[in-house]
């Protein structure tokens, strides 16, 4: 009887599950609300909460992923064209600098850099552009700002920006761009580019000094009203035009104009967020951006989810009609001329771990994914030397895109070190070169990066002006030979010969007979890193040199680099903008980390290199600039302050319902160009995620069946007469 | 009893001061204010001036414990330690090093932590005690033996394995629940089901063995033999007598963790994308946000002290012989 009842219950349970599983709606494992299933929403993720969303402070890629789609700086990069090309965004055209001498007289474009005292950029912005709806612009019936004079009582019941009932907008003005430039000098905002821009933008440093004094005299909660101050080198010409005067020739300034640092911020936003009580509720510009770009941030819960929604006031931008030659064949020009953005919402979910992210991508709950080392074999395979998707990925309609990152990774030598540095002169140079030959980058890329990288022959990555292909003329002749029409790493015997010439035959000091010990400071730890570090030890061992790994945390490594006490170290650099200056400055003498706390962590100093750098940085791209860069790279290859390691190659996957994706290593505002087929996504998700309920039923049956003898034993015991039980 | 609680609270206050000093010293032994500034200012183009300015504005430019340049009490009060720690004792948590209000963040993030921890705790307790009672009931039989073997096996497996395995089986293979994520209200259930289940299952091994040991110790006592001699059923013996008398050791382990349920679970929250206080703490450590680390350690200590006092009080409720003195 009991068994019959249990069986009936089980059958009922199984039927219920099966019926529930079969009845439409979203899949059981769908992490999104069922109502959003067919929505024109892109699903992606973030792994670390952004520290800053204020465009004057933000300087990290994970922050730009949001604000580059919200704010509208004067310029942006063309989505499809390569090499990267600046095009207007908030501006009507890319400004051409006017060169002026010290007296303020115009100079021809060909004027030498020494004669140019100032460059003036006159920027005309588009008319009729409007900000996203925001409470800072809300006005009441009498036309006065509704929320700019709030009291503590008004803020009762307000916890987020969405709690303000009214919003408004207004037209974008040149004054907003100027306001943001002033914000760079705000003493409480700590813009990371203040010092750099202070050297170039006329009057910015003076304003920073002035504001520092003003802020020091104010109570902590009082705000600094920037509208009361001016930057002498920045002026508003009319409602839609402003001019920025920079010191000397600084062609890279145009690239900075494409970054959120120079995006417009309305003064109303500062007034709104600076009101007493706002910061206590975490309602700040750093948390709730106010932009005029294609998207606006409507949900900011970096603990769980961040949501960008189409800015209803965004108009006038269309999908590009030109690109690279293959773009047409790839379907990247199919939407030419159509208004942007295509996608209504972009949901960023917090996903800290790679495994859940990857599995959710395969279930169709994320639209795109990178490929981690753990999942590499699952995603791609090598066939005939080419990298292709695995059958499973192809069957799912997943597509692969590869691109070379505008980044460089290297093993650096500290040139202040008495063994590997500049002091021992030629001896140390040969030692560095011997190590450069011995450390087999091709093997490293093959073993530890699954082939995702290109060995570097210099500091400038592909896609940046100044880069030379590794052909007969472009290879690093200190490390490679040109054999059978391809670069071939020099023989280890040549490295040993160099080592002997350096005074360390077979890795021992010729004078003392002591083995040569070198120390590598690294923040890498864990099982994966251990294999890689062991590999490095073996590479040095090929020369008989003993490499000692000194595991250290990030702070200690930075401290050692600042004090110039590290011997060997790993570092990398991501481009701020696509100009060789942004890579070569990493080895400029004036940037020496130990002396000036600059970005030259190797403390490399070469008078000729520095002189050429100072010339090159002012020049426009052309044969003359290329010739100077070639010479600079020749010097670097000769001196070998870095072991030229590799340029990483990025692999990304996306589902068949995502269109117009093209990797862009410099720009971060690519969301507006992407398009979706949500109906296909719904269909695929259903196909891929049917709930499997039979194991639950089976578990239930097993539990019940196993309970039967236990119950029987229990009853037997209960009925038994008392006995002595030994426990 | 009131006097006892007041005395314990005063002791707790001293413990808190000690914890604060220890956390402070430990944190600044590993990190300098310069490191903190650089962590907040980013990796690129950070100038020494910007670092100094950041420290000055947040009060990290002062000496850590003793300000020799000051006179009188200012020698102690005008230091990083005093300024950053004294306010904690009136529960003023201030702003994080990134400028966000910590109190507000805690008040929003404690609920997701509780949503996972509370059901896992209650269900877990019922399951562990039931399983342990079952093993005690069938003591010295094959059921008991294999139960113990199962417990040892389960406690030998890493918690991370349960999480990844659970996500794979329930989320990916059987498509029954989302692999990770979180939502509020009724929608939260589908996200909480798996972490709660894993929380319960991963704790069975250790807890059931522990409770079994307690029960077996009680079972061998004279009063149990007397109860059996009186003709009471084994169920009645176990539930009415053994369980009640085993409450003191059970409560010692259980009540103390109740207040700490707010603090969340570090790995679980990270893998399931649950926006609780566990991941808040982990993020703060990785971002070197000392303001948050300090508050979370302080809060953890306060809750632990509360837990200990509640444990003492609970003894009097289950065992009338226990009296405070």
């Amino acid at each position: 009887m009991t068994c019959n009842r249990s069986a009936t219950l089980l059958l009922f349970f199984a039927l219920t599950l099966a019926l529930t599983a079969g009845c439409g709606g979203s899949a059981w494992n769908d992490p999104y609300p069922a109502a959003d299933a067919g929505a024109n929403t892109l699903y992606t993720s973030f792994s670390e909460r952004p520290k800053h969303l204020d465009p004057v402070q933000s300087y990290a890629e994970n922050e730009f992923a949001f604000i580059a789609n919200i704010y509208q700086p004067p310029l942006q990069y063309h989505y499809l064209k390569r090499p990267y090309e600046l095009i207007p965004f908030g501006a009507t055209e890319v400004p051409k600098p006017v060169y002026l001498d010290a007296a303020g007289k115009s100079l021809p474009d060909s004027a030498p850099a020494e004669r140019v005292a100032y460059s003036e950029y006159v920027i005309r912005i588009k008319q009729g552009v409007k900000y996203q709806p925001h409470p800072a612009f809300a006005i009441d019936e009498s036309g006065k700002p509704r929320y700019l004079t709030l009291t503590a009582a008004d803020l009762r019941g307000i916890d987020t920006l969405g709690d303000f009932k009214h919003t408004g907008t207004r037209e974008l003005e040149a004054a907003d761009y100027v306001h943001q430039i002033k914000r760079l000098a705000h003493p409480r905002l700590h813009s990371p580019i203040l010092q750099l821009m202070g050297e170039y933008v006329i009057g910015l440093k003076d304003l920073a000094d002035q504001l520092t004094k003003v802020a020091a005299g104010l109570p902590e909660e009082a705000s600094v009203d920037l509208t009361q101050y001016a930057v002498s080198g920045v002026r508003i010409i009319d409602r839609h035009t402003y001019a920025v005067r920079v010191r000397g020739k600084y062609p890279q300034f145009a690239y900075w104009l494409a970054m959120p640092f120079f995006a417009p911020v309305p003064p109303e936003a500062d007034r709104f967020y600076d009101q007493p009580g706002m910061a206590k509720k975490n309602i700040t510009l750093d948390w709730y951006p106010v932009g005029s770009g294609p998207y606006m941030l409507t949900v900011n819960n970096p603990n769980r989810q961040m949501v960008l929604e189409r800015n209803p006031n965004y108009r006038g931008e269309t999908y590009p009609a030109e690109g690279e030659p293959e773009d047409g064949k790839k379907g990247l020009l199919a939407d030419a001329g159509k208004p942007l953005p295509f996608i209504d919402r972009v949901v960023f979910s917090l996903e800290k771990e790679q495994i859940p992210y990857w599995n959710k991508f395969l279930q169709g709950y994320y639209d795109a994914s990178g490929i981690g080392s753990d999942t590499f074999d699952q995603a791609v395979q090598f066939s005939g030397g080419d990298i292709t998707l695995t059958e499973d990925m192809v069957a799912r309609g997943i597509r692969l895109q590869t691109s070379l990152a505008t980044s460089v990774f290297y093993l650096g030598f500290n040139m202040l070190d008495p063994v590997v540095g500049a002091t021992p002169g030629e001896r140390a140079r040969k030692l560095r070169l011997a190590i450069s030959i011995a450390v087999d980058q091709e093997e490293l890329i093959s073993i530890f990066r699954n082939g995702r990288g290109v060995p570097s022959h210099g500091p400038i990555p592909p896609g940046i002006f100044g880069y030379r292909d590794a052909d007969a003329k472009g290879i690093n002749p200190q490390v490679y030979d040109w054999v059978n029409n391809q670069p071939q790493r020099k023989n280890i015997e040549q490295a040993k010969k160099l080592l002997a010439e350096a005074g360390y035959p077979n890795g021992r000091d010729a004078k003392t007979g002591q083995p040569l010990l070198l120390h590598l400071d690294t923040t890498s730890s864990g099982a994966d890193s251990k294999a890689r570090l062991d590999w490095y030890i073996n590479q040095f061992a090929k020369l008989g040199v003993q490499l000692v790994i000194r595991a250290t945390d990030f702070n200690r490594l930075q401290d050692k680099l600042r004090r110039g006490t590290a011997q060997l170290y790993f570092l990398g650099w991501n481009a701020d903008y696509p100009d060789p200056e942004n890579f070569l400055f990493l080895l400029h003498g004036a940037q020496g980390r130990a002396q000036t706390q600059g970005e030259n962590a190797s403390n490399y100093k070469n008078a000729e290199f520095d002189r050429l750098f100072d010339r090159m940085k002012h020049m426009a791209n052309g044969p003359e600039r290329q010739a100077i860069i070639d010479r600079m790279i020749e010097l670097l290859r000769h001196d070998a302050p870095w072991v030229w390691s590799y340029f990483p190659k990025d692999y990304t996957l996306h589902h068949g319902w995502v269109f117009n994706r093209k990797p862009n290593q410099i720009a971060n505002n690519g969301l507006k160009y992407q398009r979706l087929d949500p109906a296909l996504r719904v269909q695929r998700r259903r196909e891929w995620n049917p709930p499997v309920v039979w194991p639950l039923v089976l578990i239930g049956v097993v539990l019940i069946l196993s309970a039967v003898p236990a119950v029987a034993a229990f009853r037997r015991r209960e009925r038994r007469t008392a006995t002595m039980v030994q426990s | 009893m009131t006097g006892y609680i007041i005395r314990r609270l005063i002791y707790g206050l001293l413990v808190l001061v000690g914890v604060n000093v220890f956390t402070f010293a430990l944190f600044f032994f590993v990190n300098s204010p310069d490191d903190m500034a650089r962590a907040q200012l980013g990796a690129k183009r950070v100038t020494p001036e910007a670092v100094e300015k950041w420290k000055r504005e947040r009060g990290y430019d002062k000496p850590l414990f003793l300000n020799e340049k000051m006179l009188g009490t200012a020698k102690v009060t005008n230091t990083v330690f005093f300024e950053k720690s004294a306010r904690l004792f009136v529960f003023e948590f201030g702003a994080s090093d990134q400028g966000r209000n910590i109190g507000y963040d805690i008040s929003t993030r404690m609920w997701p932590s509780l949503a996972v921890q509370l059901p896992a705790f209650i269900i877990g307790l019922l399951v562990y005690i039931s399983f342990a009672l079952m093993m005690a009931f069938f003591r010295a039989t094959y059921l008991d033996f294999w139960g113990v073997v199962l417990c040892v096996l389960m406690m030998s497996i890493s918690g991370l394995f349960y999480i990844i395995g659970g996500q794979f089986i329930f989320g990916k293979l059987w498509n029954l629940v989302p692999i990770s994520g979180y939502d509020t209200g009724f929608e939260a259930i589908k996200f909480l089901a798996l972490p709660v289940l894993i929380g319960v299952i991963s704790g069975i091994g250790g807890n059931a063995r522990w409770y079994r040991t307690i029960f077996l110790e009680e079972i061998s006592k004279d009063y149990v033999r007397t109860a059996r001699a009186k003709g009471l059923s084994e169920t009645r013996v176990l539930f009415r007598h053994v369980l009640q008398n085993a409450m003191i050791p059970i409560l010692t382990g259980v009540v103390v963790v109740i207040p700490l349920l707010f603090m969340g679970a570090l790995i679980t929250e990270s893998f399931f994308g649950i926006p609780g206080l566990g991941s808040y703490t982990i993020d703060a450590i990785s971002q070197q946000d000392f303001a948050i680390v300090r508050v979370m350690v302080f809060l953890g200590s306060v809750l632990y002290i509360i837990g200990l006092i509640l444990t003492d009080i609970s003894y009097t409720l289950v065992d009338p012989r226990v009296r405070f003195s």
Side-chain angles (χ1 to χ4, degrees):
Chain A
M1 184 71 184
T2 313
C3 285
N4 283 343
R5 198 185 301 159
S6 302
T8 314
L9 274 171
L10 264 176
L11 191 65
F12 176 74
F13 179 61
L15 276 173
T16 312
L17 282 175
L19 284 171
T20 323
C23 65
S26 60
W28 289 14
N29 62 357
D30 189 344
Y32 309 115
D36 294 349
N40 184 17
T41 302
L42 182 89
Y43 293 100
T44 183
S45 77
F46 63 105
S47 59
E48 192 184 338
R49 60 188 280 173
K51 279 183 190 165
H52 298 292
L53 295 176
D54 186 331
V56 90
Q57 292 176 282
S58 172
Y59 200 11
E61 210 165 309
N62 69 324
E63 296 159 359
F64 280 8
F66 298 101
I67 64 169
N69 295 292
I70 295 169
Y71 285 101
Q72 193 173 15
L75 305 178
Q76 63 181 336
Y77 292 94
H78 196 285
Y79 184 56
L80 300 175
K81 286 185 183 174
R82 301 290 182 277
Y84 297 101
E85 182 185 315
L86 284 174
I87 58 169
F89 192 13
T92 54
E93 70 275 310
V94 178
K96 203 169 162 242
V98 175
Y99 299 124
L100 307 167
D101 65 13
K105 279 186 184 173
S106 287
L107 294 169
D109 290 351
S110 56
E114 310 82 70
R115 283 194 61 203
V116 177
Y118 308 107
S119 307
E120 187 160 86
Y121 290 78
V122 176
I123 299 155
R124 286 176 195 85
I125 62 162
K126 289 172 186 163
Q127 297 190 16
V129 175
K130 290 198 169 171
Y131 280 104
Q132 64 176 79
H134 193 276
F137 303 120
I139 50 171
D140 60 17
E141 293 74 17
S142 60
K144 288 181 181 168
R146 195 180 277 272
Y147 297 126
L148 296 186
T149 49
L150 297 174
T151 61
D154 296 329
L155 285 177
R156 265 184 223 127
I158 301 277
D159 289 314
T160 69
L161 197 68
D163 292 333
F164 290 95
K165 282 183 188 167
H166 301 274
T167 61
T169 185
R170 75 156 168 80
E171 192 184 346
L172 179 67
E173 295 177 3
D176 302 332
Y177 285 95
V178 173
H179 183 74
Q180 168 72 347
I181 295 175
K182 288 192 251 178
R183 296 180 81 248
L184 290 171
H186 198 299
R188 288 178 188 165
L189 295 180
H190 301 290
S191 178
I193 65 162
L194 172 61
Q195 191 177 18
L196 178 76
M197 284 302 135
E199 289 171 20
Y200 286 105
V201 177
I202 306 296
L204 191 65
K205 192 170 182 308
D206 296 336
L207 177 66
D209 293 341
Q210 187 183 5
L211 292 178
T212 302
K213 285 176 194 158
V214 171
L218 289 173
E220 200 177 323
E221 65 279 8
S223 58
V224 180
D225 182 5
L226 291 176
T227 57
Q228 304 300 311
Y229 303 92
V231 187
S232 60
V234 183
R235 62 196 166 96
I236 298 168
I237 295 171
D238 60 40
R239 200 171 165 220
H240 297 102
T241 317
Y242 68 105
V244 183
R245 190 174 280 200
V246 300
R247 190 165 285 110
K249 256 190 178 179
Y250 186 44
Q252 291 79 21
F253 186 67
Y255 296 120
W256 287 105
L257 291 177
M259 294 173 81
F261 294 113
F262 286 87
V265 169
E268 294 95 317
D270 274 341
R271 275 183 67 192
F272 175 79
Y273 288 119
D274 282 347
Q275 295 176 99
M278 289 286 207
K280 271 198 173 171
K281 291 174 181 278
N282 290 330
I283 303 176
T284 65
L285 189 65
D286 210 19
W287 204 248
Y288 295 108
V290 189
S292 58
Y295 290 99
M296 54 187 194
L297 189 69
T298 52
V299 176
N300 185 0
N301 181 0
N303 308 327
R304 184 166 74 85
Q305 202 172 65
M306 295 176 78
V307 179
L308 294 179
E309 279 183 41
R310 178 196 288 269
N311 171 6
N313 299 328
Y314 189 72
R315 305 268 186 285
E317 194 179 10
T318 55
Y319 190 86
E322 294 174 276
E324 288 186 288
E326 311 86 51
D327 287 347
K329 286 181 208 157
K330 290 177 183 170
L332 286 169
L333 295 175
D335 289 319
K338 291 183 183 168
L340 299 176
F342 293 116
I343 295 169
D344 295 334
R345 284 173 86 227
V346 184
V347 174
F348 296 79
S349 301
L350 179 68
E351 204 72 72
K352 290 187 175 183
E353 306 296 335
Q354 181 59 35
I355 296 171
Y357 182 90
W358 174 250
N359 286 330
K360 280 161 90 174
F361 169 70
L362 292 181
Q363 291 174 329
Y365 297 126
Y366 285 122
D367 294 319
S369 171
I371 307 179
S373 318
D374 299 341
T375 52
F376 191 82
D377 293 339
Q378 204 182 336
V380 293
Q381 61 190 4
F382 291 91
S383 59
D386 290 333
I387 289 177
T388 55
L389 288 168
T390 57
E391 281 176 21
D392 182 36
M393 296 295 120
V394 173
R396 287 170 183 266
I398 289 171
R399 285 150 200 189
L400 169 72
Q401 284 187 319
T402 63
S403 64
L404 273 169
T406 48
S407 315
V408 60
F409 286 92
Y410 56 91
L411 169 63
F413 296 104
N414 176 14
M415 299 301 279
L416 302 177
D417 184 80
V419 178
V420 299
T423 316
E426 188 63 5
R427 237 187 112 183
R429 188 186 76 82
K430 286 186 172 167
L431 170 62
R432 294 195 298 272
L433 277 178
I435 294 169
S436 300
I437 294 169
V439 181
D440 189 341
Q441 301 300 331
E442 289 76 11
E443 192 175 291
L444 179 135
I445 293 165
S446 167
I447 297 175
F448 297 103
R449 291 195 52 81
N450 306 101
R452 288 171 296 167
V454 173
S456 59
H457 292 250
I460 301 176
I464 306 286
F465 182 83
Y467 170 78
R468 293 271 192 196
D469 284 330
D471 54 18
K473 287 182 181 172
I475 59 164
N476 177 2
Q478 308 283 346
V479 177
Y480 290 89
D481 293 318
W482 187 251
V483 181
N484 297 330
N485 284 326
Q486 59 181 7
Q488 184 177 298
R489 184 168 289 274
K490 284 184 190 290
N491 194 297
I492 192 70
E493 295 308 319
Q494 287 174 270
K496 285 180 177 172
K497 188 168 169 274
L498 281 167
L499 192 69
E501 289 169 14
Y504 302 102
N506 298 318
R508 287 184 175 271
D509 192 316
K511 289 179 189 166
T512 63
Q514 293 295 311
L516 175 61
L517 246 75
L518 295 178
H519 296 89
L520 170 67
D521 284 288
T522 175
T523 55
S524 304
S525 58
D528 287 350
S529 301
K530 187 174 182 318
R532 196 165 176 221
L533 293 171
D534 286 345
W535 179 86
Y536 268 98
I537 290 170
N538 288 335
Q539 299 300 299
F540 279 66
K542 288 194 290 190
L543 295 171
V545 177
Q546 293 180 28
L547 181 68
V548 179
I549 306 292
R550 290 199 292 212
T552 181
D553 64 32
F554 180 77
N555 291 334
R556 297 287 79 71
L557 175 65
Q558 292 298 322
D559 192 44
K560 283 179 183 178
L561 293 176
R562 276 196 299 278
R563 289 189 284 116
T565 55
Q567 195 171 45
L568 281 87
Y569 63 93
F570 291 122
L571 271 186
W573 179 261
N574 288 321
D576 290 316
Y577 42 79
D579 191 271
E581 179 264 355
N582 196 234
F583 286 91
L584 293 171
F585 92 113
L586 297 171
L587 290 153
H588 189 227
Q591 286 283 336
R593 178 73 57 93
Q595 295 88 13
T596 65
Q597 307 285 291
E599 298 293 345
N600 177 0
S602 277
N603 302 297
Y604 173 68
K605 205 170 172 65
N606 179 312
E608 187 185 353
F609 180 90
D610 291 351
R611 190 167 40 77
L612 289 171
F613 177 85
D614 290 335
R615 259 186 80 194
M616 180 279 303
K617 71 176 182 182
H618 298 304
M619 296 171 75
N621 291 343
E624 196 188 346
R625 197 181 197 208
Q626 181 69 59
I628 292 176
I629 292 169
D630 287 346
R631 173 64 187 149
M632 291 171 77
I633 290 175
E634 193 184 332
L635 290 170
L636 293 176
R637 287 169 174 170
H638 176 267
D639 292 344
W642 296 352
V643 173
W644 313 106
S645 199
Y646 64 89
F647 302 122
K649 205 171 185 179
D650 290 344
Y651 284 30
T652 57
L653 302 171
H654 66 265
H655 285 291
W657 55 77
V658 185
F659 303 93
N660 299 339
R661 270 181 76 92
K662 180 167 181 173
N664 190 320
Q665 299 289 341
I666 296 288
N668 292 283
N669 64 345
L671 288 177
K672 62 186 171 185
Y673 302 102
Q674 295 180 43
R675 187 167 56 77
L676 295 171
D677 180 353
L680 179 62
R681 180 170 59 193
V682 170
Q683 190 190 327
R684 291 280 181 269
R685 282 183 182 173
R686 278 208 189 125
E687 287 170 16
W688 294 343
N689 300 292
V692 183
V693 293
W694 66 261
L696 287 189
V697 177
L698 187 67
I699 291 171
V701 170
V702 170
L703 282 176
I704 290 170
L705 291 180
S706 59
V708 171
V711 171
F714 173 78
R715 287 189 173 169
R716 265 201 313 276
R717 279 205 167 198
E718 285 289 87
R719 289 192 202 108
R720 207 166 53 184
T721 51
T723 51
M724 189 70 180
V725 178
Q726 294 295 330
S727 58
Chain B
M1 182 154 135
T2 314
Y4 173 82
I5 291 172
I6 290 170
R7 202 163 58 244
R8 287 297 302 268
L9 285 174
I10 292 169
Y11 292 158
L13 211 61
L14 292 173
V15 170
L16 284 178
V17 172
V19 167
N20 246 310
V21 174
F22 190 65
T23 314
F24 188 88
L26 209 60
F27 190 92
F28 282 100
F29 181 72
V30 181
N31 299 291
S32 68
D34 279 51
D35 296 333
M36 293 164 62
R38 286 175 197 279
Q40 297 305 322
L41 292 172
K44 279 182 164 182
R45 303 183 193 274
V46 182
T47 62
E49 293 79 21
V51 170
E52 287 308 314
K53 197 187 263 186
W54 187 93
K55 282 164 36 188
R56 197 164 53 245
E57 281 178 6
R58 283 160 178 77
Y60 287 114
D61 58 333
K62 293 173 182 165
L64 294 180
F65 285 107
L66 193 67
N67 194 339
E68 296 283 3
K69 290 177 186 166
M70 293 290 163
L71 295 170
T73 53
K75 278 191 171 187
V76 177
T77 57
N78 200 0
T79 58
V80 178
F81 176 72
F82 190 85
E83 289 190 355
K84 301 292 172 191
S85 299
R87 284 180 182 176
L88 291 179
F89 288 89
V90 287
F91 292 91
E92 262 190 41
F93 298 146
S96 71
D97 290 334
Q98 286 177 36
R100 285 183 54 77
N101 188 311
I102 297 173
Y104 181 84
D105 278 350
I106 290 174
S107 68
T108 53
R109 297 190 70 144
M110 60 188 259
W111 301 112
S113 286
L114 210 55
V116 179
Q117 295 291 304
L118 197 59
F121 173 75
I122 295 169
I123 297 170
L125 202 60
L126 291 173
V127 170
Y128 308 149
I129 291 178
S130 306
F131 194 45
L133 277 173
M134 192 194 82
M135 286 191 287
F137 183 84
F138 290 110
R139 62 197 171 278
T141 67
Y142 281 106
L143 269 173
D144 180 29
F145 175 78
W146 287 110
V148 173
V149 169
L150 185 68
C151 284
V152 173
L153 268 177
M154 290 182 84
M155 62 193 282
S156 308
I157 297 170
S158 146
L160 200 60
F161 183 85
Y162 285 108
I163 292 173
I164 296 173
Q167 285 181 329
F168 179 77
I169 293 170
F170 290 95
K172 193 177 176 218
L173 211 59
W174 297 344
N175 299 323
L176 295 174
V177 287
I179 289 174
S180 66
Y182 188 73
D183 209 339
T184 50
F186 189 69
E187 282 287 310
I189 294 172
K190 67 176 178 184
F191 294 102
L192 294 173
L194 188 56
V196 168
L197 180 70
I198 288 172
V200 171
I201 290 175
S202 63
I204 287 180
N207 285 299
R209 264 199 78 207
W210 164 241
Y211 292 131
R212 173 186 171 274
T213 312
I214 294 169
F215 294 143
L216 287 182
E217 196 178 326
E218 286 298 318
I219 280 174
S220 62
K221 288 185 178 169
D222 289 345
Y223 73 90
V224 177
R225 197 173 298 121
T226 310
R228 286 206 191 98
K230 280 166 67 184
L232 294 182
S233 68
E234 191 66 14
T235 322
R236 203 170 165 80
V237 169
L238 277 179
F239 284 92
R240 277 300 300 270
H241 297 277
V242 174
L243 184 59
Q244 198 173 335
N245 282 290
M247 282 310 266
I248 293 262
I250 292 175
L251 288 173
T252 307
V254 169
V255 180
V256 76
V257 300
I258 292 174
L260 291 169
L261 296 176
F262 288 96
M263 302 296 284
L266 306 183
I267 299 176
T268 305
E269 288 184 8
S270 186
F271 265 81
F272 286 102
I274 293 162
L277 286 177
S279 52
Y280 188 55
T281 313
I282 286 284
D283 287 349
I285 292 168
S286 65
Q287 296 180 353
Q288 297 178 36
D289 197 322
F290 177 58
I292 296 175
V293 174
R294 188 184 62 231
V295 169
M296 293 311 293
V297 172
F298 178 83
L299 215 53
S301 313
V302 169
L303 292 171
Y304 191 67
I305 290 165
I306 291 171
L308 288 174
I309 295 172
L310 286 178
T311 306
D312 286 354
I313 295 169
S314 69
Y315 290 164
T316 63
L317 301 178
V318 297
D319 189 345
R321 291 168 301 176
V322 176
R323 288 284 175 270
F324 296 125
S325 60

